[in-house]
Amino acid sequence: ARCFGMNMPKFHCRRQSGMNFGYVTEKRVNSSVRDSVTALFYGISICKKIETEVKGGLQMGVSMKFTDLDQYLFGQGTNYEVYKKLGAHPTTYRRKKGVYFAVWAPNAQSVSVIGEFNDWEEEANPMEKVGPIGVYEVFVPGAKIGQLYKFFIVGAHGEKLYKADPYANEAELRPGTASRITDITDYKWKDATWIKNREKFDEQVEPMAIYEVHPGSWKKHPQSEENEKGFYNYREFAHALAAYVKEMGYTHVELMGIAEHPFDGSWGYQVTGYYAPTSRYGTPQDFKYMVDYLHQNKIGVILDWVPAHFPKDAHGLANFDGTAVYEHADPRQGEHPDWGTKIYNYGRPEVKNFLIANALYWVEECHVDGLRVDAVASMLYLDYGKKDGEWVANKYGGNQNLEAIEFFKHLNTVVLGRNHGTVMIAEESTAWPMVTGDAEKDGLGFSLKWNMGWMNDFLEYMKLDPYFRKFNHNKMTFSMSYAYSERYVLVLSHDEVVHLKCSMLEKMPGELPDKFRNLKAAYSFMNCHPGKKLLFMGQEFGQLREWSEERELDWFLLNEEPHKELQNYVHDLLTIYKKYPALYAGDNDPEGFEWINADDGDRSIFSFVRKSPTKRNNILYVVNFTPVDRPDYRVGVPKKKQYKLIMDENGLLEQPKIFKAVKQECDNREFSFAYPLPAYGVAIFTY
């Protein structure tokens, strides 16, 4: 507004969603740009009305009133801070303390708020419909922080519905399904230095070693009547996790199952409370403390985020006002037959607004550093997991979900545009083009993409008996043929160690000693291959059992020497990963990687170099994936230099060994040196 030279009331000086113009394509101005500009001018016309309401005694304040401007922006899908209006917000109205409630139920016959403050009386606090968009609001004097509530909705067909608040910031501990009044504004952050430094973070050229964690099963207390599952509170979890992650050397944690969900066994992937950190581990303030504490310990926080689907629980979003509000009405568009869940209607502006504002809520209100977006492929393809007759083609007759594509462009542009240094990571399991491409160039605009192709090939190779690996050599080299088509994260996630897939250690062939040696070689290959890194909890020390959310990790295994050695080995890998820019700064630069020998299939040996942008401290990597010693092994090298062995299959060397290249042809190179490569040997040199 100031750009247009307009004399705006103080109200408009707040950061309003309409001020963010979204993305612009090369050939057209996106509708959100036009609508945002329109909203600015539209806002002028309602300013006098707002001022009149305020002066007329609306003492709850503009921030607690769903104004005409709020309605307009919400109807355009650009009210990015709508969570500050919808939901439950403690405030003062006409000198009385209470709570302002607002909910979107466009086809309801009537809505009231029920809770502990009115003995759940359905008629005690009817809500007033505000404008044609279908938002209802009411101020309830005497309602207090900590009290439970729901919305009582008489649906479009007269049905009685008891719904949790879609915008609630806290929920009742399951199996309870009510929402809880809380105040999300009363936490005082101490991570200003982290947030300021984050603005300069560039995931393309900086290290990212992510530790994927399920808070409810990383560590547990003994079960008790007060804590039947033994969950750690967010605050104590923060201290324990920060100490461990710092000691190991990870840069980020990725947390599963944070948004409120009714069923433990869903791991948090069937969400009912998108704006509420799960009450299993404490309050929203406890959650913010955890993020804050991790930041103070220089650890980034990424959350799993699930905009692909939601469950059919009666208290949730499904059939919210007796009609399909958040989902498509046609089950061919609105349901996943395999998952038994509902699919969002990404073409409805208010639904897009709900999801985009939710992403901004976690990043801006809760200070998280990024979101890993679950099941992106299921959103992009209209026929994902469906048979003929179970889906509806787009207007061009194809299977691409055009509305979801537009949603992703809008989402990523707004989140990343408003929050420099944060990341949006796609879990996309197909070859959809330009997932990490710029929205302006018709990409989806993600920062990074999980490399599922690499993961599948890598695990298939590692499971093989070493004798048969020579026939599958290309599984380990194929990834470099597409390594620069997207910006990738190499992932060994929770999905790979459940449902009879075995833990990482148990996937390896041979007897137990061979399993450990195979896994060390595998982790070293992952560590030196281009791409950011993600490893699921427990796999760093050789968890034997598959992961289960019902029990904590088998920490007792660290009393056994092989498991402790593996943990130390992963620590050493992370140490050199962060120390040498050659291993991360050129992840997206074809000039940063060069095969020395990609064709030594008969011996199942791989060798390559990672080049530093500064040309100093480049890395030469060699690995032997068979149990055969190669005492006469010779490796070709790029230059006649000294090569310093800094790490082998036993870990970091206290005294690095120096090898001098000589003029002797090997691997089609003019220079080389000899090095005894042990069975399952690993050699990491700097030069």
Side-chain angles (χ1 to χ4, degrees), residues 171-434:
E172 183 182 11
L173 180 64
R174 54 93 183 94
T177 58
S179 301
R180 190 182 298 277
I181 301 168
T182 189
D183 183 1
I184 62 171
T185 67
D186 65 349
Y187 183 82
K188 295 182 180 179
W189 292 91
K190 302 179 180 66
D191 63 349
T193 300
W194 171 272
I195 297 298
K196 183 178 180 180
N197 291 337
R198 187 179 72 184
E199 294 180 2
K200 297 175 282 187
F201 179 79
D202 182 354
E203 75 282 352
Q204 295 194 46
V205 297
E206 298 198 47
M208 287 186 72
I210 305 167
Y211 188 54
E212 187 188 24
V213 183
H214 179 261
S217 58
W218 184 65
K219 284 186 178 180
K220 285 180 177 284
H221 293 301
Q223 296 181 3
S224 64
E225 290 186 12
E226 295 78 18
N227 190 351
E228 86 283 4
K229 292 285 188 176
F231 292 140
Y232 273 43
N233 177 276
Y234 286 118
R235 294 176 185 257
E236 57 186 344
F237 176 71
H239 286 261
L241 183 65
Y244 184 75
V245 167
K246 281 183 68 176
E247 175 62 28
M248 287 298 297
Y250 293 98
T251 64
H252 293 72
V253 295
E254 182 177 307
L255 302 178
M256 296 169 55
I258 293 300
E260 191 59 78
H261 52 284
F263 177 47
D264 290 6
S266 77
W267 309 333
Y269 292 108
Q270 294 198 9
V271 178
T272 51
Y274 275 79
Y275 287 82
T278 178
S279 55
R280 289 165 175 81
Y281 317 129
T283 67
Q285 290 74 20
D286 294 334
F287 173 76
K288 289 183 177 182
Y289 177 90
M290 177 191 69
V291 176
D292 200 0
Y293 188 81
L294 289 167
H295 283 172
Q296 292 173 56
N297 283 273
K298 299 181 180 180
I299 300 165
V301 181
I302 299 166
L303 298 188
D304 266 0
W305 191 57
V306 191
H309 63 129
F310 58 93
K312 298 178 180 179
D313 296 63
H315 70 285
L317 299 176
N319 204 41
F320 189 75
D321 63 4
T323 66
V325 175
Y326 289 90
E327 69 271 35
H328 280 280
D330 187 337
R332 295 175 300 167
Q333 297 172 289
E335 294 193 20
H336 277 298
D338 289 344
W339 298 348
T341 54
K342 295 286 189 178
I343 300 173
Y344 283 104
N345 182 350
Y346 304 106
R348 190 165 192 173
E350 299 89 347
V351 175
K352 286 195 299 183
N353 203 144
F354 171 78
L355 291 170
I356 294 173
N358 182 244
L360 291 168
Y361 165 80
W362 292 111
V363 172
E364 296 180 357
E365 187 68 36
C366 299
H367 287 206
V368 304
D369 304 292
L371 301 173
R372 174 265 193 187
V373 184
D374 182 62
V376 168
S378 74
M379 299 170 64
L380 293 173
Y381 297 95
L382 294 167
D383 59 347
Y384 185 92
K386 296 180 179 181
K387 302 173 184 175
D388 290 345
E390 293 181 343
W391 62 284
V392 178
N394 63 34
K395 62 184 179 181
Y396 303 113
N399 68 341
Q400 300 88 3
N401 190 331
L402 305 179
E403 294 166 345
I405 295 168
E406 182 75 9
F407 166 76
F408 281 130
K409 294 178 180 181
H410 191 166
L411 166 76
N412 291 323
T413 305
V414 170
V415 173
L416 299 175
R418 285 168 56 130
N419 301 278
H420 297 165
T422 58
V423 293
M424 297 291 287
I425 305 172
E427 189 241 340
E428 202 284 311
S429 54
T430 73
W432 187 280
M434 294 186 67

Side-chain angles (χ1 to χ4, degrees), residues 594-627:
E594 183 180 348
W595 284 110
I596 295 296
N597 192 336
D599 302 316
D600 197 354
D602 287 342
R603 297 188 296 179
S604 297
I605 295 174
F606 300 85
S607 54
F608 56 79
V609 296
R610 297 293 307 276
K611 301 174 185 177
S612 169
T614 65
K615 310 301 182 185
R616 299 174 60 84
N617 288 320
N618 303 300
I619 296 290
L620 168 65
Y621 172 79
V622 183
V623 62
N624 176 10
F625 280 117
T626 69

Side-chain angles (χ1 to χ4, degrees), residues 66-221:
F66 211 84
T67 65
D68 289 352
L69 179 58
D70 286 318
Q71 292 183 65
Y72 176 82
L73 295 176
F74 191 46
Q76 301 303 308
T78 56
N79 195 336
Y80 300 130
E81 295 177 5
V82 70
Y83 58 85
K84 294 181 178 180
K85 297 292 186 74
L86 295 178
H89 303 278
T91 188
T92 299
Y93 175 54
R94 291 176 179 168
R95 300 181 182 177
K96 291 183 179 180
K97 291 184 177 181
V99 176
Y100 169 80
F101 295 92
V103 65
W104 178 56
N107 300 307
Q109 293 185 21
S110 66
V111 183
S112 61
V113 61
I114 58 177
E116 293 181 321
F117 43 80
N118 62 14
D119 293 327
W120 303 94
E121 174 58 46
E122 295 172 359
E123 306 299 331
N125 295 107
M127 303 178 74
E128 178 185 359
K129 190 174 183 179
V130 184
I133 201 167
V135 171
Y136 290 78
E137 66 181 6
V138 69
F139 174 77
V140 179
K144 299 177 181 177
I145 292 173
Q147 291 180 322
L148 299 175
Y149 71 98
K150 280 189 176 181
F151 293 116
F152 170 65
I153 300 173
V154 177
H157 308 292
E159 61 271 62
K160 293 184 176 181
L161 304 168
Y162 301 85
K163 292 290 188 176
D165 182 357
Y167 288 85
N169 299 125
E170 188 173 0
E172 183 182 11
L173 180 64
R174 54 93 183 94
T177 58
S179 301
R180 190 182 298 277
I181 301 168
T182 189
D183 183 1
I184 62 171
T185 67
D186 65 349
Y187 183 82
K188 295 182 180 179
W189 292 91
K190 302 179 180 66
D191 63 349
T193 300
W194 171 272
I195 297 298
K196 183 178 180 180
N197 291 337
R198 187 179 72 184
E199 294 180 2
K200 297 175 282 187
F201 179 79
D202 182 354
E203 75 282 352
Q204 295 194 46
V205 297
E206 298 198 47
M208 287 186 72
I210 305 167
Y211 188 54
E212 187 188 24
V213 183
H214 179 261
S217 58
W218 184 65
K219 284 186 178 180
K220 285 180 177 284
H221 293 301

